[in-house]
Amino acid sequence: MTEVRDVVAAASQLTDAEFLEVVRAVAAGRPGLGALLAAVDVGAAIPAEDPVTAEVVSHIAPGVPEPDYTPGGVPTFDRVRERIEGRFGTAIGSSELAHDSPSGQSLDEAWEKREKAGKAKLDEIRRSLGKQ
């Protein structure tokens, strides 16, 4: 059987369209490679006019940690507290904005009408049972 490196070397010499055809041929009839076949079909639909190239980085040196993080990359308690307070403030603010908007006010009015109607119906049921 041919070495994997030889196959990779040969495949790297193919154009994108040729490579996709090879993958289609290999994946056809193999149920376990259905996702690969679907990915090939999606990849073939994407125009290759502007190919993306990327530089392979073998090792990324650790830099200076961000403020409010330990050298190991763990957030400090102050950082966690600030994020929680920020999210809490956002939640309270969005709730207040929702109630102050016209649609929020109409929902509040509809809720009050339902509450009144529910209380009236409960009173009517109690009167019919002779409890008032």
Side-chain angles (χ1 to χ4, degrees):
M1 183 171 237
T2 308
E3 290 288 324
V4 174
R5 288 184 207 152
D6 295 337
V7 174
V8 170
S12 65
Q13 300 298 321
L14 299 174
T15 66
D16 289 351
E18 292 170 336
F19 183 74
L20 291 175
E21 287 303 315
V22 169
V23 172
R24 272 194 200 98
V26 169
R30 294 184 179 187
L33 298 178
L36 177 62
L37 193 57
V40 167
D41 291 337
V42 169
I46 298 172
E49 297 170 0
D50 189 21
V52 177
T53 58
E55 179 183 341
V56 176
V57 179
S58 61
H59 177 71
I60 298 174
V64 177
E66 292 184 37
D68 297 332
Y69 284 84
T70 65
V74 179
T76 62
F77 286 115
D78 290 335
R79 173 73 173 165
V80 172
R81 183 185 320 112
E82 287 174 6
R83 290 195 62 190
I84 291 171
E85 288 173 352
R87 289 180 181 179
F88 180 74
T90 301
I92 296 295
S94 63
S95 174
E96 289 174 357
L97 286 174
H99 284 290
D100 290 342
S101 69
S103 62
Q105 290 175 352
S106 66
L107 286 174
D108 287 341
E109 291 171 2
W111 178 259
E112 289 173 10
K113 286 180 184 177
R114 284 188 176 185
E115 284 289 311
K116 287 180 183 178
K119 287 180 182 179
K121 185 68 174 177
L122 185 59
D123 290 340
E124 178 185 333
I125 292 171
R126 285 182 179 153
R127 276 193 303 273
S128 70
L129 294 173
K131 293 191 175 187
Q132 270 189 336

